[in-house]
Amino acid sequence: DELEERNAGLMIAAKKNITVPDNVQELLIQKIHEIEEKMGPTFAFKYFSLATEAEKAEIIKWFSAGKIATDDVRKVYPDLFHYMQQTFGTREDSQTWCLTYLDQYKKAKLSNTYTPEVESVILEKNASEVTFNSWYNNFKTVRTLFNNRKDIQVYFWIDGLGLEWVPFVAEIIREHNQDRFFLNEVFIARATLPTVTDINKSELQKLAGGPLDKYGDLDGDAHKVRPYPSYIIDDMAKVREVINRILDENPGKKIAIVSDHGISYMSQLRPGLNLSGIKGHHGGRYATWNSGKAVSDEKYKILDDQTTICALRHESLTSKIDTGSGCHGGCTPEEVLVPVFIISD
C-alpha cells in the first residue's frame, strides 16, 4: 500500500512537471539497481515512476534488454508502449513489408543497436538503385495522394515525422475521441529525394495552397547531439505536445497532418564511407559530384541531374554521423516513408 501511495504521488508530480535534481535522480537509479540485484528486475520495476528523466531512460533500457514485459511498460510508461505498437497504414501486398521493417527499426532504435533484422532488409531492398526504385515507386507522394481531394479544411506539417510514429499518433487522437476527434484515414506516402526539408516543403505548400506553418520540429532536434535514450524520450514528448495542440486549436475541422521526411537513428551506429570526389550534405546522407556526372555505384542512387547522389543504406557517403544524432537525406525507409493522418469529428 505504501508503494502504491508513493507511485501515485510521483505520477501527480510528473503531470505537474515537478523536477528532481540530477544528484537525486542518480541516487534513485542506484537504489533501484540495488533492489534489482537482491530481488530481481520484476520486483525492482515496482519502484519505477515517470517522475524523473533517469527513470524513463532506465525503463527504455530495461525494456529493450527484455528485463520487463510489454504489459509492465504499458502501466508505467504508456507513451513508450504505444510508440512500440505495430506500425500500420497500408494493406497493399507490395507495401506491407515496410510495416514489419519499421517495427524492427524501432526495436533497434530502442536498444541503440544496429540489428541483423534491420540490416537484412536494407541489404535486400536497397541493394541497388533498381531494387530501391522497385519499392520506392510503389508509394505516392503526399501531393499525389491529395490530388483533387477537396474535403480537407486545414493542413498541418510536422517536420521529420516518419512512419514509425503512426501507432503513437493514433493513440493520442484516440484519447481525444471524447472531444469528437477521430482518426478517419492513415496513408503512407513517399518523400522526394533527397529526403530533406528544402526539397519537400514546397510540395506540401502547393498542396495547402499557400504558406504552411510548421507544428513541431523533430528535424531540428535530430541534428543536435543528444545522448541515448534522451532523443527517444524528448521526441515522444514533443509529438504528444504537437498533436494535442493541433487538436485543441481546431475543433470541428477536418484536418490533415503531413510530413516532409522521416529521421533515421541508424546511421550514427554505422561507419561513414568517406567517398572521394563529392561534397557531402546533411551529414553525408546525400552529396553532389564535384565535376562531371556521377559514376554508378551500388552504395548510392544517382538523381536525374546526374550530379546528386543519395545514400542507399545506413552508411553515409562522407564521414560517420555524430553519435547521438539523427539524420535524413538518404534512401532508407525511415527517411523516405511518411504518414498522412486524416482527422475529423
Side-chain angles (χ1 to χ4, degrees):
D1 291 342
E2 290 177 354
L3 186 57
E4 290 180 3
E5 184 176 324
R6 167 191 180 272
N7 290 344
L10 290 172
M11 286 176 64
I12 294 171
K15 289 179 180 178
K16 293 182 178 294
N17 296 318
I18 294 174
T19 58
V20 178
D22 289 344
N23 64 319
V24 178
Q25 294 193 40
E26 292 173 6
L27 180 61
L28 174 60
I29 297 302
Q30 178 186 327
K31 293 288 186 182
I32 289 175
H33 285 168
E34 290 173 0
I35 296 172
E36 179 193 7
E37 290 178 8
K38 294 177 181 177
M39 307 293 291
T42 302
F43 187 85
F45 192 70
K46 296 177 181 180
Y47 286 88
F48 275 106
S49 74
L50 289 187
T52 68
E53 292 297 295
E55 286 173 282
K56 294 175 185 177
E58 201 70 11
I59 291 170
I60 289 173
K61 293 174 183 176
W62 282 31
F63 181 52
S64 64
K67 289 185 177 182
I68 48 178
T70 303
D71 285 344
D72 293 331
V73 175
R74 184 174 195 167
K75 295 172 186 175
V76 178
Y77 199 172
D79 278 1
L80 177 61
F81 170 83
H82 292 296
Y83 172 74
M84 291 301 295
Q85 291 305 289
Q86 288 186 333
T87 310
F88 60 91
T90 182
R91 293 178 180 173
E92 297 288 334
D93 290 340
S94 62
Q95 298 179 351
T96 52
W97 66 269
C98 75
L99 305 179
T100 304
Y101 169 79
L102 263 296
D103 290 340
Q104 291 297 334
Y105 164 77
K106 286 189 286 187
K107 290 180 181 178
K109 179 179 171 183
L110 216 65
S111 65
N112 201 35
T113 305
Y114 196 65
T115 62
E117 291 80 7
V118 167
E119 184 176 27
S120 64
V121 175
I122 293 299
L123 289 177
E124 175 192 351
K125 295 294 183 179
N126 284 18
S128 66
E129 285 193 70
V130 174
T131 59
F132 169 76
N133 289 338
S134 67
W135 69 259
Y136 179 74
N137 292 325
N138 274 327
F139 295 90
K140 298 177 180 178
T141 65
V142 176
R143 191 179 173 196
T144 302
L145 281 173
F146 283 90
N147 189 35
N148 298 322
R149 186 161 179 165
K150 308 298 182 184
D151 58 325
I152 306 301
Q153 293 173 277
V154 286
Y155 287 87
F156 293 97
W157 161 41
I158 301 179
D159 194 351
L161 188 76
L163 186 60
E164 66 187 275
W165 293 100
V166 167
F168 186 60
V169 172
E171 168 59 21
I172 299 170
I173 297 168
R174 188 199 64 78
E175 293 168 7
H176 284 266
N177 286 172
Q178 62 186 10
D179 305 317
R180 297 201 58 77
F181 287 105
F182 300 93
L183 180 58
N184 299 159
E185 300 168 274
V186 177
F187 299 102
I188 301 175
R190 75 178 193 214
T192 301
L193 299 176
T195 49
V196 294
T197 301
D198 291 345
I199 300 296
N200 288 277
K201 180 181 178 182
S202 60
E203 291 298 301
L204 298 181
Q205 288 177 325
K206 291 174 185 176
L207 176 67
L212 189 61
D213 291 333
K214 182 163 60 177
Y215 271 59
D217 189 3
L218 299 178
D219 183 352
D221 290 340
H223 292 299
K224 302 172 184 175
V225 174
R226 297 177 290 172
Y228 160 83
S230 293
Y231 47 81
I232 300 172
I233 298 167
D234 295 346
D235 288 353
M236 284 193 294
K238 174 162 281 190
V239 171
R240 173 169 285 281
E241 176 189 355
V242 169
I243 301 299
N244 284 337
R245 179 185 167 195
I246 289 173
L247 300 183
D248 290 343
E249 294 178 357
N250 295 275
K253 294 180 181 178
K254 192 154 194 178
I255 301 165
I257 297 176
V258 298
S259 179
D260 50 348
H261 58 77
I263 304 289
S264 179
Y265 279 89
M266 293 295 100
S267 292
Q268 59 154 336
L269 305 174
R270 303 299 291 163
L273 296 173
N274 294 306
L275 300 181
S276 60
I278 62 171
K279 179 181 180 182
H281 308 283
H282 274 259
R285 294 308 295 157
Y286 81 99
T288 49
W289 212 254
N290 287 339
S291 61
K293 293 182 179 181
V295 178
S296 294
D297 194 300
E298 65 175 17
K299 300 180 181 68
Y300 50 75
K301 174 178 171 57
I302 303 173
L303 302 190
D304 291 341
D305 63 5
Q306 297 297 306
T307 61
T308 304
I309 57 176
C310 299
L312 279 172
R313 298 183 280 278
H314 289 113
E315 293 82 5
S316 291
L317 302 174
T318 54
S319 57
K320 176 187 173 297
I321 296 291
D322 291 337
T323 300
S325 295
C327 63
H328 58 95
C331 299
T332 63
E334 64 267 27
E335 294 171 284
V336 168
L337 299 177
V338 294
V340 177
F341 301 93
I342 310 298
I343 307 159
S344 80
D345 62 358

